[in-house]
């Protein structure tokens, strides 16, 4: 049995099912990211592990111990909140030492542990500071220190980076990953940021409408999505219908093609390219003639919205094209992610 | 700058000065009058100012027979008890109103407003009758109950706003770190809502120290508070004693307003009655 074992968890808020028979296992020392857009249930899942949400069905076990119905204070799960939730009437040391005071530690032992945490998080000399005088990044570290000080069974992180500047976020992301590996703590990380999930996690659980759409290693989820939803969420957000069974000659579905004869195709805008001459087009590729409708400069090149008649697709290309230019979108066969077109979870426009 | 612009600017300034003058007179005029009376030995019509100045009435007010010290003590004692009673109700009620999703939340908040909304006199007459029957008339407890019925609206509304201003995730963080519900309330919620609760206590205190009508119906003749003493003095035509008592009543008001201003933060005030 995995270290954290969640089985058939169901949570409803006033008739709305937020978690629908969710089962997931997290191994000891592993960091699993719950990835999804807002309202998919990822935060509810985290809050049920912490004990702030009581499930109607299912069990949550940590190291074999059933914690499903324990109050939050008996669970030994340390949570880092999106707002950090530091207590403004306490100093940095007061915040970090709180959990230890609750566990009846002696003052001297608490002071030693707080110092350890401050060293670990490179916050030496901040012990007496009021938390209200800290920057966002420093608050984030204090919140992490408070969570780690009690040596919890589980570390739960609720979008802890979402309130930080981009640069600080990238820095802390790497620090957090290194720290998590070093102390070997088991962690569940909630985020809506795909890149964050890919860099931080050992495994990613993509969530959709209260269910886990796919659970797997970052590379798997990224390159081998199980459904059109996961493909779209992992960045393959160009979607169009193809004719099924047309062999090597990939062709977009025309109006009136029956559902059963369609295939849903997803591809990433940076894996397609634009061709201007017929001989630019390689074999075994989907070719979509179209017109540039919009163009954006994105630094390393341009991002184009190309109208192809059946669908608008986004393509990134290094060269500059004026809006209105006629072009061809070329998608190599390998870049196409194909799904049955009747996939009910397809939610991409 | 043309003469016309300059003239307009001056006329605006003049208008503002006159307006401020009226405002200052409205606020400070009566208080100045109190000061005049408090130090007047002799002041008969039609003199504009007292004929004789002195402070002999102060001695009379503070002498044991004057009763000021005794009734000040009674006033403060009643006010303290009223604060204790109001907070004992307002802290749990305010917390529940702020945190729980109560269906009748709005109605409950309004219910506390009722004592302020209906005309006081008929209510006090009835309360006096009821209290007389159950032996509460003329007791400190009776007066405290009447004051608390008034103080509760302030106490509950402000306490509810103060608790609502405490972010719920701060409490969750405490529970998450191993605090029981009561420890969490004691170490996180209460200290953070503290300033708002102190402010509500101060308002209740002031309201009680100032209260006259209810005390008159329920307390007289056994319980004499400072406002009642003042009333008796001014009914007896003794304006010096009434003025000195009024000045005494001003002291806690001004002192507490200064404290309130420090404690009550804008974000708490903005949440009152929400």
């Amino acid at each position: 049995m995995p270290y954290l074992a969640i089985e058939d968890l169901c949570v409803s808020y006033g008739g709305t099912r937020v978690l629908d028979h969710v089962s997931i296992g997290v191994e000891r020392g592993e960091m699993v990211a719950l990835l999804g857009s807002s309202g998919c249930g990822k935060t509810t899942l985290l809050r049920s592990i912490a004990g702030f949400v009581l499930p109607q069905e299912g069990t949550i076990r940590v190291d074999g111990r059933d914690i499903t119905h324990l109050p939050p204070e008996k669970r030994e799960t340390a949570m880092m909140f999106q707002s950090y939730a530091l207590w403004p009437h306490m100093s940095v040391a007061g915040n970090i030492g709180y959990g230890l005071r609750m566990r009846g530690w002696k003052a001297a032992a608490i002071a030693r542990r707080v110092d350890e945490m401050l060293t670990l998080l490179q916050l030496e000399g901040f012990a007496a500071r009021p938390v209200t005088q800290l920057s966002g990044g420093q608050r984030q570290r204090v919140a992490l220190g408070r969570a780690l000080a009690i040596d919890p069974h589980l570390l739960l992180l609720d979008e802890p980076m979402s309130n930080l500047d981009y640069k600080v976020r990238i820095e802390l992301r790497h620090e957090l990953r290194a720290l998590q590996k070093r102390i070997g703590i088991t962690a569940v990380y909630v985020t809506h940021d795909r890149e964050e999930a890919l860099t931080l996690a050992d495994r990613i659980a993509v969530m959709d409408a209260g269910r886990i759409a796919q659970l797997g290693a970052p590379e798997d989820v990224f390159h081998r999505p199980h459904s059109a939803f996961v493909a779209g969420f992992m960045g393959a957000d160009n979607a169009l219908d193809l004719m099924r069974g047309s062999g090597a000659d990939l062709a977009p579905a025309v109006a009136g093609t029956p559902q059963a004869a369609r295939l849903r195709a997803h591809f990433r805008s940076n894996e397609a390219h634009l061709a201007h001459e017929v001989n630019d087009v390689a074999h075994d590729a989907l070719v979509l003639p179209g017109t540039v409708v919009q163009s954006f400069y994105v630094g390393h090149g341009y991002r184009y919205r190309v109208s192809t008649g059946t669908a608008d697709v986004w393509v990134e290309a290094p060269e500059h094209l004026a809006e209105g230019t006629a072009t061809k979108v070329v998608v190599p066969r390998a870049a196409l992610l194909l799904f049955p077109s009747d996939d009910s979870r397809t939610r991409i426009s | 700058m043309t003469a016309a612009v300059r003239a307009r600017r001056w006329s605006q300034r003049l208008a503002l000065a006159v307006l401020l003058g009226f405002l200052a007179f409205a606020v400070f005029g009566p208080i100045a009058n109190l000061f005049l009376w408090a130090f007047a030995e002799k002041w008969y019509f039609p003199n504009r100012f007292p004929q004789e100045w002195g402070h002999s009435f102060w001695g009379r007010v503070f002498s044991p027979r004057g009763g000021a010290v005794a009734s000040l003590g009674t006033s403060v004692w009643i006010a303290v008890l009223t604060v204790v009673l109001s907070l004992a109700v307002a802290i749990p009620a305010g917390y529940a109103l702020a945190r729980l999703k109560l269906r009748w939340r709005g109605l409950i908040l309004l219910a506390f407003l009722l004592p302020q909304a209906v005309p006081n006199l008929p209510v006090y007459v009835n309360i006096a009758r009821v209290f007389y029957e159950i032996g509460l008339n003329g007791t400190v407890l009776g007066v405290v109950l009447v004051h608390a019925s008034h103080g509760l609206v302030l106490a509950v509304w402000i306490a509810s706003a103060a608790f609502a201003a405490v972010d719920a995730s701060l409490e969750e963080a405490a529970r998450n770190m191993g605090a029981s519900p009561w420890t969490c309330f004691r170490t996180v919620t209460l200290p953070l809502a503290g300033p708002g609760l102190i402010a509500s206590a101060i308002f209740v205190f002031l309201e009680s120290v100032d209260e006259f009508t209810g005390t008159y119906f329920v307390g007289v003749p056994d319980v004499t508070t400072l406002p009642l003493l003042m009333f008796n003095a001014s009914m007896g035509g003794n304006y010096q004693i009434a003025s000195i008592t009024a000045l005494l009543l001003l002291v806690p008001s001004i002192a507490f307003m200064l404290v309130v201003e420090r404690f009550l933060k804008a974000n708490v005030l903005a949440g009152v009655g929400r």
Side-chain angles (χ1 to χ4, degrees):
Chain A
M1 185 187 275
Y3 185 68
L4 166 67
I6 295 171
E7 274 158 30
D8 274 331
L9 206 68
C10 292
V11 173
S12 302
Y13 292 141
T16 319
R17 180 141 285 193
V18 186
L19 290 182
D20 190 6
H21 296 280
V22 170
S23 298
I24 186 174
V26 178
E27 298 299 333
R28 195 187 286 267
E30 191 184 27
M31 170 107 95
V32 167
L34 303 177
L35 176 64
S37 42
S38 56
C40 72
K42 57 189 193 301
T43 298
T44 305
L45 179 53
L46 195 78
R47 290 172 61 80
S48 1
I49 302 173
F52 299 129
V53 172
L54 287 181
Q56 280 85 39
E57 284 175 52
T59 55
I60 304 171
R61 284 197 181 80
V62 176
D63 205 7
R65 184 173 77 126
D66 188 343
I67 62 164
T68 319
H69 299 288
L70 288 182
E73 64 266 25
K74 299 238 163 74
R75 295 194 176 205
E76 300 289 322
T77 57
M79 180 140 160
M80 240 181 103
F81 292 78
Q82 187 170 12
S83 60
Y84 313 138
L86 296 176
W87 301 298
H89 60 302
M90 296 182 200
S91 65
V92 168
N95 269 278
I96 296 180
Y98 185 89
L100 305 173
R101 289 203 297 283
M102 292 301 122
R103 281 158 183 75
W105 283 37
K106 295 245 163 38
I110 293 176
R112 263 202 308 281
R113 180 72 176 156
V114 168
D115 276 344
E116 253 174 65
M117 285 296 130
L118 292 176
T119 313
L120 185 72
L121 299 162
Q122 294 156 11
L123 280 171
E124 289 101 334
F126 280 78
R129 258 333 151 84
V131 290
T132 45
Q133 285 177 16
L134 302 179
S135 71
Q138 289 166 339
R139 281 174 202 222
Q140 214 246 11
R141 284 162 208 258
V142 174
L144 184 59
R146 179 176 69 183
L148 292 177
I150 60 168
D151 211 355
H153 295 162
L154 269 182
L155 179 62
L156 307 174
L157 306 112
D158 184 11
E159 309 214 14
M161 312 271 190
S162 58
N163 289 332
L164 296 173
D165 290 344
Y166 182 73
K167 197 164 164 282
V168 184
R169 197 157 68 212
I170 303 295
E171 247 173 60
L172 280 171
R173 193 186 282 170
H174 297 133
E175 273 180 40
L176 181 65
R177 180 57 168 161
L179 191 68
Q180 184 264 336
K181 278 202 162 145
R182 184 144 54 99
I183 56 182
I185 193 166
T186 314
V188 180
Y189 190 106
V190 161
T191 181
H192 62 263
D193 183 331
R194 177 173 76 231
E195 200 185 309
E196 202 163 279
L198 288 170
T199 30
L200 269 171
D202 294 303
R203 282 191 301 157
I204 295 175
V206 182
M207 292 191 65
D208 177 32
R211 264 173 276 173
I212 292 179
Q214 188 171 350
L215 173 65
E219 294 85 348
D220 271 343
V221 177
F222 190 81
H223 290 296
R224 285 174 289 282
H226 288 172
S227 65
F229 172 79
V230 177
F233 202 83
M234 297 311 289
D237 41 13
N238 284 313
L240 71 165
D241 277 357
L242 299 183
M243 304 281 266
R244 190 193 281 272
S246 47
D249 309 310
L250 296 162
V254 291
T257 310
Q259 188 75 260
R262 288 168 181 253
L263 270 180
R264 184 122 263 233
H266 281 256
F267 65 92
R268 298 192 164 81
S269 56
N270 60 351
E271 288 179 342
H273 60 269
L274 296 175
H276 311 294
E277 320 248 323
V278 183
N279 51 12
D280 279 356
V281 179
H283 284 293
D284 210 14
L286 173 67
V287 182
L288 304 162
T291 319
V292 174
V293 217
Q294 272 180 305
S295 82
F296 300 96
Y297 181 57
V298 289
H300 50 80
Y302 294 86
R303 194 171 155 81
Y304 297 104
R305 182 187 176 93
V306 181
S307 169
T308 67
T310 46
D312 283 7
V313 295
W314 292 93
V315 181
E316 278 172 28
E319 68 270 24
H320 179 73
L321 294 177
E323 290 175 5
T325 311
T327 183
K328 289 193 184 74
V329 178
V330 180
V331 192
R333 178 69 185 81
L336 283 172
L337 303 161
L338 298 171
F339 305 98
S341 138
D342 52 1
D343 188 334
S344 59
R345 276 167 295 176
T346 301
R347 293 242 238 90
I348 302 101
S349 55
Chain B
M1 196 191 289
T2 66
V5 170
R6 203 173 300 169
R8 203 172 63 217
R9 193 163 290 180
W10 273 107
S11 65
Q12 277 173 355
R13 274 183 205 169
L14 194 70
L16 187 69
V18 169
L19 207 69
L20 281 178
F22 271 118
L23 191 68
F25 184 75
V27 173
F28 294 109
I31 293 179
N33 193 38
L34 279 184
F35 271 100
L36 288 184
W37 270 112
F39 293 99
E41 293 286 320
K42 225 199 247 172
W43 190 0
Y44 296 117
F45 187 79
N47 293 303
R48 190 158 296 161
F49 287 104
Q51 292 115 302
E52 263 177 55
W53 299 87
H55 53 267
S56 68
F57 281 95
W58 286 80
R60 271 174 61 186
V61 168
F62 284 103
S63 73
R65 267 198 70 236
V69 175
S71 50
L72 180 68
T74 312
S75 274
V76 169
W77 176 233
I78 287 173
V80 167
L81 289 178
T82 307
V83 166
V84 170
L85 180 64
S86 297
L87 282 189
V89 175
I91 288 177
Y95 188 75
L97 286 167
R99 279 286 183 267
L100 309 179
K101 288 189 177 65
L102 297 174
R103 187 186 293 206
W104 306 110
R105 201 176 162 274
L107 269 183
I108 295 169
L109 279 174
L110 264 182
F112 284 105
L113 190 63
L114 271 183
Q116 311 271 30
V118 295
N120 283 335
L121 280 173
V123 175
Y124 289 140
V125 170
N126 280 301
I127 287 181
R129 224 187 81 79
V130 173
F131 277 13
Y132 189 77
E133 272 168 28
I134 57 177
L136 276 175
N137 240 26
T139 64
V140 167
L141 178 63
V143 176
V144 166
L145 285 175
V146 168
H147 286 192
S149 76
H150 251 212
L152 268 179
V153 65
L154 282 171
V156 170
W157 283 38
I158 298 178
S160 154
F163 284 125
V166 178
D167 190 348
S169 72
L170 296 176
E171 293 177 337
E172 286 180 349
R175 296 292 302 280
N176 183 248
M177 282 293 108
S180 65
W182 166 243
T183 310
C184 163
F185 183 78
R186 192 172 50 79
T187 56
V188 172
T189 320
L190 208 52
L192 289 175
L197 295 177
I198 290 174
S200 81
I202 287 167
F203 276 121
V204 171
F205 187 92
L206 288 181
E207 174 108 352
S208 166
V209 165
D210 251 10
E211 214 280 343
F212 171 78
T213 328
T215 321
Y216 185 77
F217 279 97
V218 173
V220 166
D222 307 283
V223 179
T224 308
T225 59
L226 218 47
L228 283 179
L229 186 80
M230 191 182 84
F231 175 73
N232 288 337
S234 85
M235 283 296 103
N238 207 332
Y239 294 126
Q240 283 90 340
I241 292 191
S243 301
I244 292 167
T245 327
L247 285 179
L248 282 181
L249 273 173
L250 262 181
V251 174
S253 302
I254 291 172
F256 281 134
M257 278 303 166
L258 292 176
V259 181
V260 167
E261 203 255 338
R262 271 202 55 193
F263 273 112
L264 205 55
K265 296 196 189 106
N267 67 333
V268 172
L269 270 181
V272 169
R274 199 181 277 166

